[in-house]
Amino acid sequence: MATVPVRLGDRSYDVLVGPGVRASLAGVVRRLGAQRAAVVSARPAEWVPDTGVETLLLPARDGEQDKTLSTVEALCGEFARFGLTRSDVVVSCGGGTTTDVVGLAAALYHRGVAVVHLPTTLLAQVDASVGGKTAVNLPAGKNLVGAFWQPSAVLCDTDYLSTLPDRELRNGLGEIARCHFIGAPDLRGLPTAEQIAAGVTLKARIVEQDERDAGLRHLLNYGHTLGHALEVATGFALRHGEAVAIGTVFAGRLAGELGRIDQARVDEHLAVVGHYGLATALPADVEPEVLLRQMRRDKKAITGLSFVLDGPAGAELVSDVPPEVVARVLDRMPRERAAGAVRT
Ligand code: GLY
Protein backbone atom coordinates (compact mmCIF):
# COMPACT_ATOMS: atom_id res chain seq x y z
CA MET A 1 0.00 0.00 0.00
CA ALA A 2 1.19 3.55 -0.77
CA THR A 3 0.30 6.61 1.26
CA VAL A 4 0.47 9.89 -0.61
CA PRO A 5 0.12 12.95 1.63
CA VAL A 6 -1.52 16.06 0.22
CA ARG A 7 -0.06 18.87 2.32
CA LEU A 8 -2.43 21.82 2.48
CA GLY A 9 -2.06 23.07 6.05
CA ASP A 10 -5.24 22.43 8.02
CA ARG A 11 -6.80 20.88 4.90
CA SER A 12 -4.08 18.20 4.57
CA TYR A 13 -5.05 14.57 4.00
CA ASP A 14 -3.71 11.24 2.87
CA VAL A 15 -4.50 9.33 -0.29
CA LEU A 16 -4.12 5.58 0.29
CA VAL A 17 -3.52 3.46 -2.80
CA GLY A 18 -3.53 -0.34 -2.91
CA PRO A 19 -5.58 -3.50 -2.62
CA GLY A 20 -8.03 -3.52 0.27
CA VAL A 21 -7.45 0.07 1.45
CA ARG A 22 -11.21 0.65 1.66
CA ALA A 23 -11.03 -1.23 4.98
CA SER A 24 -9.39 1.89 6.45
CA LEU A 25 -12.71 3.76 6.25
CA ALA A 26 -13.84 3.04 9.83
CA GLY A 27 -10.48 4.27 11.18
CA VAL A 28 -10.72 7.45 9.13
CA VAL A 29 -14.29 8.09 10.35
CA ARG A 30 -13.20 7.45 13.96
CA ARG A 31 -10.29 9.90 13.66
CA LEU A 32 -12.67 12.53 12.28
CA GLY A 33 -14.81 12.11 15.39
CA ALA A 34 -17.98 11.67 13.31
CA GLN A 35 -20.99 10.01 14.89
CA ARG A 36 -22.95 9.53 11.66
CA ALA A 37 -22.01 8.89 8.06
CA ALA A 38 -24.03 9.49 4.89
CA VAL A 39 -22.63 7.11 2.28
CA VAL A 40 -23.56 7.97 -1.31
CA SER A 41 -22.71 5.02 -3.50
CA ALA A 42 -22.99 4.29 -7.20
CA ARG A 43 -21.85 0.74 -6.45
CA PRO A 44 -23.55 -2.21 -4.67
CA ALA A 45 -23.91 -1.85 -0.91
CA GLU A 46 -21.33 -4.60 -0.30
CA TRP A 47 -18.64 -2.48 -2.00
CA VAL A 48 -18.85 0.03 0.83
CA PRO A 49 -17.03 -1.07 3.99
CA ASP A 50 -18.32 -0.58 7.49
CA THR A 51 -18.05 3.03 8.63
CA GLY A 52 -18.16 2.06 12.34
CA VAL A 53 -20.92 4.63 13.00
CA GLU A 54 -24.64 5.03 12.31
CA THR A 55 -24.88 5.09 8.52
CA LEU A 56 -27.37 6.24 5.88
CA LEU A 57 -26.73 4.57 2.52
CA LEU A 58 -27.95 6.56 -0.47
CA PRO A 59 -27.82 5.15 -4.01
CA ALA A 60 -26.24 7.17 -6.79
CA ARG A 61 -25.63 6.78 -10.53
CA ASP A 62 -22.31 7.48 -12.21
CA GLY A 63 -22.64 9.64 -15.30
CA GLU A 64 -22.97 13.23 -16.44
CA GLN A 65 -26.80 13.00 -16.37
CA ASP A 66 -26.87 13.09 -12.56
CA LYS A 67 -24.13 15.73 -12.14
CA THR A 68 -26.73 18.42 -11.51
CA LEU A 69 -27.75 20.93 -8.87
CA SER A 70 -30.97 18.99 -8.35
CA THR A 71 -28.92 15.93 -7.32
CA VAL A 72 -27.01 18.11 -4.85
CA GLU A 73 -30.30 19.45 -3.48
CA ALA A 74 -31.75 15.95 -3.16
CA LEU A 75 -28.62 14.68 -1.36
CA CYS A 76 -28.56 17.60 1.07
CA GLY A 77 -32.27 16.99 1.80
CA GLU A 78 -31.48 13.36 2.66
CA PHE A 79 -28.55 14.44 4.86
CA ALA A 80 -30.88 16.79 6.76
CA ARG A 81 -33.63 14.16 7.20
CA PHE A 82 -30.98 11.76 8.55
CA GLY A 83 -29.85 14.40 11.05
CA LEU A 84 -26.30 14.70 9.69
CA THR A 85 -24.48 17.46 11.58
CA ARG A 86 -21.46 19.52 10.55
CA SER A 87 -19.21 17.26 12.65
CA ASP A 88 -20.38 14.10 10.83
CA VAL A 89 -19.06 12.77 7.53
CA VAL A 90 -20.17 12.16 3.97
CA VAL A 91 -18.63 9.26 2.03
CA SER A 92 -18.72 8.93 -1.76
CA CYS A 93 -18.25 5.62 -3.56
CA GLY A 94 -18.15 5.54 -7.35
CA GLY A 95 -16.57 7.10 -10.41
CA GLY A 96 -15.47 10.69 -10.93
CA THR A 97 -18.94 12.04 -11.61
CA THR A 98 -20.11 10.65 -8.26
CA THR A 99 -17.11 11.97 -6.30
CA ASP A 100 -17.68 15.37 -7.99
CA VAL A 101 -21.36 15.70 -7.14
CA VAL A 102 -21.08 14.23 -3.64
CA GLY A 103 -18.04 16.41 -2.98
CA LEU A 104 -20.09 19.49 -3.89
CA ALA A 105 -22.99 18.40 -1.68
CA ALA A 106 -20.51 17.99 1.21
CA ALA A 107 -19.00 21.41 0.46
CA LEU A 108 -22.43 23.08 0.66
CA TYR A 109 -24.21 21.15 3.41
CA HIS A 110 -23.95 23.18 6.64
CA ARG A 111 -21.40 25.26 4.68
CA GLY A 112 -19.07 22.29 4.59
CA VAL A 113 -18.95 18.83 6.13
CA ALA A 114 -16.07 16.34 5.96
CA VAL A 115 -16.05 14.05 2.92
CA VAL A 116 -14.12 10.84 2.27
CA HIS A 117 -13.89 9.54 -1.29
CA LEU A 118 -13.80 5.86 -2.27
CA PRO A 119 -13.13 6.20 -6.01
CA THR A 120 -13.91 3.01 -7.91
CA THR A 121 -12.67 3.83 -11.42
CA LEU A 122 -9.11 4.32 -12.61
CA LEU A 123 -9.93 7.84 -13.79
CA ALA A 124 -11.34 8.81 -10.40
CA GLN A 125 -8.42 7.22 -8.52
CA VAL A 126 -5.69 8.84 -10.55
CA ASP A 127 -7.28 12.28 -10.89
CA ALA A 128 -10.89 13.21 -10.15
CA SER A 129 -11.14 12.30 -6.45
CA VAL A 130 -7.89 14.02 -5.46
CA GLY A 131 -7.30 17.77 -5.23
CA GLY A 132 -10.62 19.13 -4.00
CA LYS A 133 -12.33 20.17 -7.23
CA THR A 134 -16.05 19.50 -7.01
CA ALA A 135 -18.65 20.57 -9.55
CA VAL A 136 -21.90 19.90 -11.35
CA ASN A 137 -22.99 20.72 -14.88
CA LEU A 138 -25.47 23.30 -16.16
CA PRO A 139 -27.27 23.05 -19.51
CA ALA A 140 -24.77 25.73 -20.62
CA GLY A 141 -21.72 23.57 -19.95
CA LYS A 142 -19.76 21.06 -17.90
CA ASN A 143 -18.55 21.80 -14.36
CA LEU A 144 -19.90 25.38 -14.40
CA VAL A 145 -20.99 25.34 -10.73
CA GLY A 146 -18.60 24.01 -8.13
CA ALA A 147 -16.35 24.62 -5.17
CA PHE A 148 -12.90 23.71 -3.94
CA TRP A 149 -13.55 21.32 -1.09
CA GLN A 150 -10.71 19.06 -0.04
CA PRO A 151 -11.62 15.56 1.15
CA SER A 152 -10.50 14.34 4.56
CA ALA A 153 -9.10 11.17 2.98
CA VAL A 154 -9.16 9.36 -0.36
CA LEU A 155 -9.07 5.55 -0.35
CA CYS A 156 -8.04 4.29 -3.80
CA ASP A 157 -8.76 0.60 -3.42
CA THR A 158 -7.27 -1.09 -6.47
CA ASP A 159 -9.45 -4.18 -5.85
CA TYR A 160 -12.32 -2.07 -7.24
CA LEU A 161 -10.56 -1.91 -10.61
CA SER A 162 -10.65 -5.65 -11.31
CA THR A 163 -14.29 -5.44 -12.37
CA LEU A 164 -13.89 -2.49 -14.74
CA PRO A 165 -14.60 -3.01 -18.43
CA ASP A 166 -11.57 -2.44 -20.71
CA ARG A 167 -13.00 0.78 -22.00
CA GLU A 168 -13.34 2.22 -18.49
CA LEU A 169 -9.72 1.26 -17.76
CA ARG A 170 -8.60 3.01 -20.95
CA ASN A 171 -10.50 6.07 -19.78
CA GLY A 172 -8.15 6.26 -16.78
CA LEU A 173 -5.07 5.37 -18.79
CA GLY A 174 -5.53 8.60 -20.77
CA GLU A 175 -4.84 10.55 -17.57
CA ILE A 176 -1.89 8.30 -16.71
CA ALA A 177 -0.41 8.81 -20.20
CA ARG A 178 -0.52 12.60 -19.91
CA CYS A 179 1.47 12.42 -16.60
CA HIS A 180 4.52 11.50 -18.75
CA PHE A 181 4.67 15.06 -20.09
CA ILE A 182 4.03 17.04 -16.91
CA GLY A 183 6.73 15.76 -14.62
CA ALA A 184 6.05 12.11 -13.78
CA PRO A 185 8.69 9.45 -14.37
CA ASP A 186 8.09 6.97 -17.17
CA LEU A 187 5.23 4.85 -15.82
CA ARG A 188 4.98 2.48 -18.77
CA GLY A 189 5.07 -1.16 -17.69
CA LEU A 190 4.59 -0.48 -13.96
CA PRO A 191 1.85 -2.22 -11.95
CA THR A 192 -1.39 -0.21 -11.96
CA ALA A 193 -1.18 0.62 -8.23
CA GLU A 194 2.26 2.19 -8.79
CA GLN A 195 0.98 4.15 -11.77
CA ILE A 196 -1.91 5.48 -9.67
CA ALA A 197 0.35 6.35 -6.74
CA ALA A 198 2.77 8.16 -9.07
CA GLY A 199 -0.07 10.06 -10.78
CA VAL A 200 -1.53 11.04 -7.40
CA THR A 201 1.91 12.09 -6.09
CA LEU A 202 2.43 14.32 -9.13
CA LYS A 203 -1.03 15.83 -8.67
CA ALA A 204 -0.51 16.33 -4.93
CA ARG A 205 2.74 18.26 -5.47
CA ILE A 206 1.03 20.50 -8.05
CA VAL A 207 -2.12 21.08 -5.96
CA GLU A 208 0.03 21.91 -2.91
CA GLN A 209 1.49 24.81 -4.88
CA ASP A 210 -1.71 25.94 -6.60
CA GLU A 211 -4.79 24.65 -4.81
CA ARG A 212 -7.12 27.14 -6.50
CA ASP A 213 -6.03 26.61 -10.11
CA ALA A 214 -4.46 30.04 -10.55
CA GLY A 215 -1.47 28.87 -12.60
CA LEU A 216 0.58 25.73 -12.08
CA ARG A 217 -2.48 23.49 -11.73
CA HIS A 218 -3.21 24.13 -15.42
CA LEU A 219 -0.46 21.56 -16.08
CA LEU A 220 -2.91 18.84 -15.07
CA ASN A 221 -4.93 19.83 -18.11
CA TYR A 222 -2.23 18.63 -20.50
CA GLY A 223 -4.00 17.35 -23.61
CA HIS A 224 -7.32 18.65 -22.26
CA THR A 225 -7.91 21.67 -24.56
CA LEU A 226 -8.50 19.48 -27.59
CA GLY A 227 -9.69 16.66 -25.31
CA HIS A 228 -12.62 18.69 -23.94
CA ALA A 229 -13.46 19.92 -27.46
CA LEU A 230 -13.51 16.33 -28.72
CA GLU A 231 -15.78 15.22 -25.88
CA VAL A 232 -18.28 17.93 -26.78
CA ALA A 233 -17.94 17.51 -30.55
CA THR A 234 -18.61 13.77 -30.31
CA GLY A 235 -21.56 14.28 -27.97
CA PHE A 236 -19.49 12.53 -25.26
CA ALA A 237 -19.22 9.35 -27.38
CA LEU A 238 -15.50 9.69 -26.68
CA ARG A 239 -14.80 9.21 -22.97
CA HIS A 240 -12.79 11.87 -21.15
CA GLY A 241 -9.53 9.89 -20.99
CA GLU A 242 -9.86 8.74 -24.60
CA ALA A 243 -10.28 12.35 -25.72
CA VAL A 244 -7.36 13.51 -23.52
CA ALA A 245 -5.17 10.84 -25.13
CA ILE A 246 -5.83 12.24 -28.61
CA GLY A 247 -5.40 15.73 -27.18
CA THR A 248 -2.01 14.70 -25.81
CA VAL A 249 -0.82 13.54 -29.24
CA PHE A 250 -2.11 16.82 -30.66
CA ALA A 251 -0.35 18.88 -27.95
CA GLY A 252 2.93 17.21 -28.91
CA ARG A 253 2.42 18.00 -32.59
CA LEU A 254 1.43 21.59 -31.81
CA ALA A 255 4.49 22.09 -29.58
CA GLY A 256 6.62 20.68 -32.42
CA GLU A 257 5.00 23.01 -34.97
CA LEU A 258 5.72 25.98 -32.70
CA GLY A 259 9.38 24.92 -32.42
CA ARG A 260 9.11 24.26 -28.69
CA ILE A 261 10.20 20.57 -28.89
CA ASP A 262 12.07 18.46 -31.41
CA GLN A 263 10.63 15.68 -33.58
CA ALA A 264 11.84 12.94 -31.23
CA ARG A 265 9.78 14.45 -28.41
CA VAL A 266 6.78 14.85 -30.73
CA ASP A 267 7.09 11.16 -31.60
CA GLU A 268 7.35 10.31 -27.88
CA HIS A 269 3.79 11.63 -27.45
CA LEU A 270 2.53 9.12 -30.01
CA ALA A 271 4.59 6.30 -28.50
CA VAL A 272 3.42 6.92 -24.93
CA VAL A 273 -0.27 7.26 -25.79
CA GLY A 274 -0.03 4.23 -28.11
CA HIS A 275 1.69 2.21 -25.38
CA TYR A 276 -1.39 2.53 -23.17
CA GLY A 277 -3.58 1.14 -25.98
CA LEU A 278 -5.35 4.42 -26.57
CA ALA A 279 -6.53 5.80 -29.91
CA THR A 280 -4.18 8.49 -31.25
CA ALA A 281 -6.15 9.68 -34.30
CA LEU A 282 -9.03 12.14 -34.59
CA PRO A 283 -12.47 10.61 -35.08
CA ALA A 284 -13.33 10.62 -38.80
CA ASP A 285 -16.46 12.68 -38.48
CA VAL A 286 -15.48 15.74 -36.41
CA GLU A 287 -15.03 19.03 -38.23
CA PRO A 288 -11.87 21.04 -37.41
CA GLU A 289 -13.95 24.26 -37.31
CA VAL A 290 -16.17 22.77 -34.62
CA LEU A 291 -13.10 21.81 -32.58
CA LEU A 292 -11.56 25.27 -33.01
CA ARG A 293 -14.79 26.96 -31.91
CA GLN A 294 -15.00 24.71 -28.89
CA MET A 295 -11.33 25.21 -27.96
CA ARG A 296 -11.87 28.99 -27.88
CA ARG A 297 -14.37 28.35 -25.05
CA ASP A 298 -11.79 26.46 -22.96
CA LYS A 299 -11.65 27.85 -19.44
CA LYS A 300 -7.88 28.43 -19.70
CA ALA A 301 -8.46 30.62 -22.78
CA ILE A 302 -8.64 34.12 -21.30
CA THR A 303 -7.39 35.51 -24.61
CA GLY A 304 -7.31 33.54 -27.84
CA LEU A 305 -6.44 29.85 -27.94
CA SER A 306 -4.53 28.45 -24.95
CA PHE A 307 -2.81 25.12 -24.55
CA VAL A 308 -0.54 23.48 -22.00
CA LEU A 309 2.48 22.70 -24.17
CA ASP A 310 5.79 20.97 -23.68
CA GLY A 311 8.88 23.09 -24.20
CA PRO A 312 12.52 23.61 -23.27
CA ALA A 313 11.58 24.31 -19.63
CA GLY A 314 8.93 21.56 -19.47
CA ALA A 315 5.19 21.97 -19.85
CA GLU A 316 3.59 25.39 -19.39
CA LEU A 317 0.45 27.27 -20.33
CA VAL A 318 0.86 28.98 -23.70
CA SER A 319 -1.74 31.62 -24.57
CA ASP A 320 -2.61 33.29 -27.86
CA VAL A 321 -1.49 30.38 -30.00
CA PRO A 322 -2.16 31.52 -33.61
CA PRO A 323 -5.41 29.93 -34.86
CA GLU A 324 -3.88 29.21 -38.28
CA VAL A 325 -1.14 27.08 -36.63
CA VAL A 326 -3.73 25.20 -34.58
CA ALA A 327 -5.84 24.66 -37.72
CA ARG A 328 -2.80 23.42 -39.66
CA VAL A 329 -1.84 20.90 -36.99
CA LEU A 330 -5.45 19.74 -36.70
CA ASP A 331 -5.63 19.24 -40.47
CA ARG A 332 -2.48 17.12 -40.39
CA MET A 333 -3.66 14.91 -37.53
CA PRO A 334 -4.27 11.32 -38.59
CA ARG A 335 -7.96 10.41 -38.87
CA GLU A 336 -9.73 7.23 -37.92
CA ARG A 337 -10.95 5.70 -41.18
CA ALA A 338 -14.43 4.69 -40.07
CA ALA A 339 -16.94 6.74 -38.11
CA GLY A 340 -16.10 4.71 -35.04
CA ALA A 341 -13.04 6.23 -33.42
CA VAL A 342 -14.58 4.86 -30.29
CA ARG A 343 -13.71 1.24 -29.79
CA THR A 344 -15.75 -0.67 -27.31
N1 GLY B 1 -8.41 17.44 -13.04
C1 GLY B 1 -7.61 18.60 -13.03
C2 GLY B 1 -7.52 19.23 -11.68
O1 GLY B 1 -7.89 18.63 -10.69
O2 GLY B 1 -7.04 20.32 -11.59
Side-chain angles (χ1 to χ4, degrees), residues 21 35 77 79 138 163 198 215 246 272 285 292 303 308 312 342:
V21 299
Q35 290 179 3
F79 299 164
L138 293 183
T163 59
I246 300 168
V272 169
D285 46 2
L292 271 167
T303 56
V308 181
V342 185

Side-chain angles (χ1 to χ4, degrees), residues 123 127 170-179 181 219-231 238-252 269 273 278-280 333:
L123 185 91
D127 185 55
R170 279 206 302 278
N171 194 27
L173 290 172
E175 295 286 13
I176 290 176
R178 67 88 162 90
C179 290
F181 301 100
L219 292 188
L220 294 166
N221 280 340
Y222 198 80
H224 283 55
T225 310
L226 180 61
H228 284 148
L230 280 168
E231 282 184 272
L238 271 183
R239 305 290 306 276
H240 178 71
E242 293 171 325
V244 166
I246 300 168
T248 296
V249 173
F250 173 78
H269 284 71
V273 172
L278 293 150
T280 55
M333 279 287 281

Side-chain angles (χ1 to χ4, degrees), residues 327-343:
R328 190 159 69 234
V329 177
L330 266 182
D331 277 341
R332 290 187 195 150
M333 279 287 281
R335 288 269 180 173
E336 291 271 341
R337 269 202 304 274
V342 185
R343 301 189 203 96

Side-chain angles (χ1 to χ4, degrees), residues 17 153 157 196 226 271 293:
V17 183
D157 192 328
I196 297 166
L226 180 61
R293 198 165 52 241

Side-chain angles (χ1 to χ4, degrees), residues 127 130 133 203 217 220-221:
D127 185 55
V130 177
K133 277 189 184 175
K203 181 161 187 176
R217 192 163 174 165
L220 294 166
N221 280 340

